[in-house]
Amino acid sequence: MKLIYLGIFRMILPLCLGLFMSIGAFAQQITVKGHVKDAQSNIIGANITEKANPTNGTSSDAEGNFELKVEQGATLVISFLGYKTQEVPATPVMTVTLEEDSALLDNIVVIGYGTAKKNDLTGSVTAINADKLVKGAVTSASDMLVGKVAGMSVITKGGAPGAGATIRIRGGSSMSASNNPLIVIDGVPVDDSDIKGMENPLATIHPNDIESFTVLKDASATAIYGSRASNGVIIINTKRGGGKGIHVNYSGTFAVNTTPKTVDVMSADSFRQFVTEKYGEGSTQVKALGNANTNWQDQIFGNSFTTDHNVSLSGSVPHMPYRVSLAYTNDKGILKTSKMERVTGAISLNPSFFDDMLNIRLNVKGIYNKNRFADRGAIGMATQFDPTQPIYMTGNPLYVNDKNPDGNGYFMYLKPDNSSAIDIALTNPVAMLEQHHDESTVYRSIGNAQIDYRFHFLPELRANLNLGYDISEGEGDNIIEDHSPMSYCQGIFKKGFGENKNYYQLKRNTLLDFYLNYANTFGKHHIDVTGGYSWQRFFRSEWEKYPYSPLMAQEKGTQFYKDMTSYKTENYLVSFFGRLNYSFANRYLLTFTLRYDGSSRFSEDNRWGLFPSVALAWKIKEEKFLRDVNWLSDLKLRLGYGITGQQNLNNGDYPYMARYNYSKPGANYFFGNISYPLIAPAAYDENLKWEETTTYNAGIDFGFLNNRLTGSIDYYYRKTENLLNKVSAPAGTNFSNELLTNVGTLTNQGVEFTLTGHPIVTKDWNWTLSYNISYNRNEITKMTFNDDPSYKGVIHTGIDGATGYNIMINAVNNPYNSFYVFEQIYDAAGRPIEGAYVDQNNDNKIDEDDLVPYKKAAPDVYMGLTSQLSYRNWDLSFALRASFGNYVYNNVQSNREAWGGSQMMDPTGFFKNRVNSARYTNFSNTQPRSSYYVQDASFLKMDNLSIGYTFPKLFKTNQSARLYFTIQNVFTITDYDGLDPEIDGLGVDNNIYPRPRTFLFGVNLNF
């Protein structure tokens, strides 16, 4: 029996000891019941983890409450996006109030259909805080981005008021379709095509209303936008209200615009001497010279004044932050008669309901824009018009009428008997400005209502509905006065009758987006899943009317000289999209994106396309072997792959359908006395589809010394297939011998480097430097279905002074938009020899077969550098920009150097001025296709230099003011011979509106 009791005791004793040990262990744990909030409301979805055991965690529920078992004496880590992380001792009952962290808020990046932390991004993305930019004198969003983003080129279209810009991300991806990036404003993808009467679609938003830019560059970042994302995406977010009380901000600028440089043409005396040298004293040509001394460029250019005022009111009433702004801009150009007046307004309301479970964002932006567009033809005309002739003349029989009985008016060239004007003569540049009235009025509004609901029963799940619109209405009149020199020398009449046009355009872009988002953390695993649907409609209606001038209408007894033209068109885009963001242990990141797009621009067989992407990232700094390396703040490796598309083919909304075109004016068929226009079928390809771009991207993000120095390096390779190109169509297979179809292939590859440093950070001094540099190389690798050695490529882009000649080519194994010229031969002194070119095929003659692709318009390398230095209340900033390897065809020189034949003096009796370089080349005949005129246009520019002083306290502590002075377009260093090496578009320098040098005084007031 004792043995039995002893055996039972031996069995029970271990069980009892284990029980007591378990009770002891449970006695060392506590259950924490807590509540997380901020200064105004509960915080839903805050992360709560045990510091010693990060895998033990939870999140706050719909009311901000949480419950978590932790070790007694543990420390809790509470964090939430946009708030300062807090570490607090664990107690059974606790309330934690989080504070907003402006530094963290700067690290939140707006991406497609959501937001993300900068250090959680897997794609190539650049985020910019608009308030931290060195702005200078800017009137639109595009102006703010010049030189600021690696891999992105922004070239303004000259210096006209409200001028647009050409934006290219990583070199563009198409030869025939659009190369513009997709622009998304407050969640609304906007139509960036031309708005009649308005040059810059991005001028709708006042720069002071912009909060941030996000530039998505590689396919892993852009594929969420599918068939519109091959050229990158620019996301613009505007400012919202918030905070306690009412905040008032005023920003005003007052600027003087000057002309920094004009084309180097001969003065009147120099031109007289040049004509005498070529034709001799007493020659007919010398006798035809005038007696005046007119600098035509001085007559059309002049200093101008620009002013801009912006007032905003922001704050928060219970459950609704708000912001309202109103701005007025009056911008007069340096080309006389050019001006823009603009009124912009913006309203942002962000109400929240049900303890912040339901959040609504209401944004409305509007613009009223009035323009007078100066006739830019006057710029080119001023470089050619005879400087020995006066601006005005008296006794012109063509000017005689009731208002002008003495025949006084602008100078024009008359035939020897004074009976009529020389109808092919140059037009008086001053008259072109004063007697040509091209005026417009544009209304545009962009707005949306974004409704975000976090489900009460599952706060990790959100539903988001976005309803948006982009509506514009433009109208204008283009009027040339009767009896103006233009009415005799240009247009279709050339008999003194003005040629007029009225136009109207209405564009409606409407949007519906809906998506669900689920985000949660499970131990070391974090997932963020989004799935949604998008619907967008683009509608356009236009008409043009062609009224006679008053004098002509009276003579003809009818109002219009040409039938009115009008059309309406629309297209739709329907999409399904999804994205998975997954991270493990906050070190290994995965992003997978899929978009399924359907576009009405293509036939049913090609209507739908699938655009996937995947990206991986490794936060190497979070590994144990680097976690304690203090000098290294950040190190992340990124790899991405994806496919994106381009469905804006620049070929209308129905490019796949059979179409018919009306005949040209005059090509009519008569039934009796009634004429009927003819119609003819146009060539088309029913199998057209979107171009597809496949992108590979590898990048490294790094930071040193507590992120005093941060940066990134990216390498990318992009290949566009199904590239649109015009190819020969076999006889009888279509309605033209050329057909636009999907056949080509284009590659872009390059490297981008960005570096931001804070060399000085002290109590009084603060210095920030940002530098970016990009290298891009593109090459066309396929243009036809089959290899054809005789196929030269697509020759395009006409030039002035050489009718019928094109100067550029897209050819296989060459960069996109290469120049197509004869290779010039030079003498021992380095001067070009007239008509001497390299015989490329050695057939002992120079003909079309000796033309070769030569250089290119796009740069190899471009870079930007910005500096912001502050000492106490003083600040000094500047922005530099450089471009290397870009070439320009100097059409001003090629058309204004030769002096022989009719080049300088037309047989009908008028002169054309020459550029001073004509003495150097001494060409008798024009050499329009000489490589001599393809000139290196590399440059270094200082875009702006600004100094300011801030008064931190005016009358009260919450009132401040800043006064500053800025010089815009400070200097340009270049070897280019022309007016400006920075040429928009295809790299042909002809008739450019000079970019002004601006001296600006500004003031910012905050109350």
Side-chain angles (χ1 to χ4, degrees), residues 253-445:
T253 60
F254 310 85
V256 176
N257 308 304
T258 64
T259 308
K261 185 179 179 181
T262 56
V263 176
D264 185 22
V265 298
M266 295 181 181
S267 65
D269 291 339
S270 179
F271 186 61
R272 289 188 186 96
Q273 182 183 356
F274 187 74
V275 173
T276 302
E277 291 172 359
K278 297 305 179 185
Y279 295 103
E281 289 281 359
S283 64
T284 303
Q285 290 84 357
V286 171
K287 291 179 180 179
L289 291 168
N291 300 316
N293 190 349
T294 306
N295 186 322
W296 290 102
Q297 292 184 89
D298 283 352
Q299 295 301 320
I300 66 169
F301 292 118
N303 295 342
S304 67
F305 187 72
T306 296
T307 181
D308 180 86
H309 307 275
N310 178 275
V311 178
S312 67
L313 185 70
S314 63
S316 180
V317 296
H319 306 292
M320 189 176 73
Y322 64 88
R323 185 178 186 274
V324 180
S325 69
L326 183 67
Y328 171 74
T329 305
N330 188 322
D331 188 2
K332 294 181 179 178
I334 57 174
L335 179 60
K336 295 178 180 178
T337 73
S338 63
K339 63 180 180 180
M340 177 194 74
E341 283 189 276
R342 181 183 69 184
V343 177
T344 59
I347 300 174
S348 173
L349 303 175
N350 301 278
S352 60
F353 307 94
F354 309 125
D355 295 325
D356 288 337
M357 298 296 284
L358 176 63
N359 291 278
I360 300 175
R361 295 182 182 179
L362 301 174
N363 297 290
V364 177
K365 291 164 284 293
I367 183 173
Y368 168 74
N369 196 93
K370 286 186 68 68
N371 283 291
R372 177 169 179 183
F373 302 106
D375 192 328
R376 297 188 191 182
I379 300 174
M381 203 63 67
T383 64
Q384 296 184 78
F385 209 85
D386 184 354
T388 69
Q389 301 298 340
I391 302 172
Y392 303 99
M393 67 188 304
T394 59
N396 183 351
L398 303 181
Y399 284 145
V400 176
N401 55 48
D402 293 339
K403 296 182 180 179
N404 190 17
D406 298 324
N408 298 325
Y410 291 101
F411 174 86
M412 70 170 68
Y413 289 103
L414 301 177
K415 292 181 179 179
D417 60 0
N418 289 338
S419 61
S420 60
I422 301 175
D423 60 5
I424 63 170
L426 301 181
T427 306
N428 188 315
V430 177
M432 291 179 70
L433 297 179
E434 298 293 343
Q435 295 184 301
H436 186 181
H437 306 273
D438 186 357
E439 301 178 359
S440 71
T441 302
V442 174
Y443 305 87
R444 189 184 190 188
S445 179

Side-chain angles (χ1 to χ4, degrees), residues 453-707:
Y453 174 66
R454 192 181 298 272
F455 290 85
H456 284 76
F457 63 87
L458 187 61
E460 297 83 7
L461 179 65
R462 297 168 40 237
N464 189 287
L465 174 65
N466 185 24
L467 303 174
Y469 70 88
D470 174 9
I471 299 175
S472 65
E473 187 176 27
E475 58 185 358
D477 302 302
N478 197 335
I479 299 172
I480 297 172
E481 293 182 13
D482 286 324
H483 292 308
S484 63
M486 291 182 71
S487 67
Y488 288 98
C489 302
Q490 299 180 18
I492 61 175
F493 299 126
K494 294 188 176 182
K495 292 184 179 180
F497 301 118
E499 184 177 346
N500 306 326
K501 181 174 74 173
N502 312 131
Y503 60 85
Y504 172 84
Q505 181 194 68
L506 172 65
K507 296 171 70 176
R508 291 197 190 101
N509 165 14
T510 49
L511 169 77
L512 183 151
D513 284 339
F514 177 79
Y515 66 86
L516 293 172
N517 172 262
Y518 178 82
N520 206 351
T521 300
F522 304 93
K524 294 184 179 181
H525 307 273
H526 178 77
I527 62 170
D528 188 326
V529 184
T530 299
Y533 166 84
S534 178
W535 175 95
Q536 197 162 9
R537 176 191 184 234
F538 298 91
F539 170 83
R540 175 185 295 200
S541 174
E542 296 183 3
W543 58 251
E544 290 183 351
K545 297 179 180 178
Y546 304 93
Y548 277 122
S549 63
L551 190 65
M552 191 70 167
Q554 183 179 2
E555 179 177 312
K556 294 290 186 179
T558 184
Q559 186 176 358
F560 298 99
Y561 66 87
K562 182 179 175 181
D563 289 339
M564 170 184 173
T565 61
S566 65
Y567 76 93
K568 296 180 181 180
T569 184
E570 65 180 358
N571 73 84
Y572 292 83
L573 187 67
V574 177
S575 312
F576 301 89
F577 58 88
R579 178 175 55 217
L580 167 66
N581 287 321
Y582 169 76
S583 66
F584 176 74
N586 195 33
R587 293 198 296 273
Y588 313 106
L589 310 175
L590 165 70
T591 300
F592 176 73
T593 304
L594 194 65
R595 183 161 178 135
Y596 190 49
D597 269 348
S599 172
S600 64
R601 283 177 164 158
F602 307 106
S603 67
E604 292 184 3
D605 294 337
N606 296 312
R607 184 154 294 168
W608 291 90
L610 194 63
F611 302 95
S613 76
V614 62
L616 302 171
W618 177 23
K619 294 184 179 179
I620 309 175
K621 168 61 180 173
E622 299 299 323
E623 297 291 351
K624 291 182 179 179
F625 60 85
L626 287 178
R627 193 174 297 166
D628 295 327
V629 179
N630 294 328
W631 57 268
L632 183 65
S633 312
D634 183 27
L635 185 62
K636 182 172 68 173
L637 174 66
R638 295 178 280 104
L639 297 173
Y641 160 85
I643 299 174
T644 51
Q646 173 57 279
Q647 53 95 33
N648 185 3
L649 307 185
N650 284 337
N651 198 26
D653 287 332
Y654 313 100
Y656 71 93
M657 296 179 65
R659 290 162 293 163
Y660 292 83
N661 295 329
Y662 281 105
S663 59
K664 295 181 179 180
N668 301 323
Y669 188 84
F670 282 85
F671 279 104
N673 294 325
I674 302 176
S675 65
Y676 295 90
L678 303 176
I679 59 173
Y684 72 100
D685 180 4
E686 63 183 357
N687 294 315
L688 273 180
K689 60 177 296 185
W690 35 56
E691 301 175 336
E692 288 187 350
T693 300
T694 302
T695 302
Y696 301 87
N697 194 95
I700 297 176
D701 301 326
F702 55 85
F704 302 103
L705 305 176
N706 197 26
N707 283 335

Side-chain angles (χ1 to χ4, degrees), residues 134-146 148 206-208 253 306 308 329 331 342 944 968 1000:
V134 183
K135 295 180 183 178
V138 298
T139 58
S140 76
S142 56
D143 296 336
M144 301 170 70
L145 293 172
V146 175
K148 302 302 190 297
H206 193 277
N208 282 350
T253 60
T306 296
D308 180 86
T329 305
D331 188 2
R342 181 183 69 184
N944 52 66
Q968 185 85 5
L1000 178 146

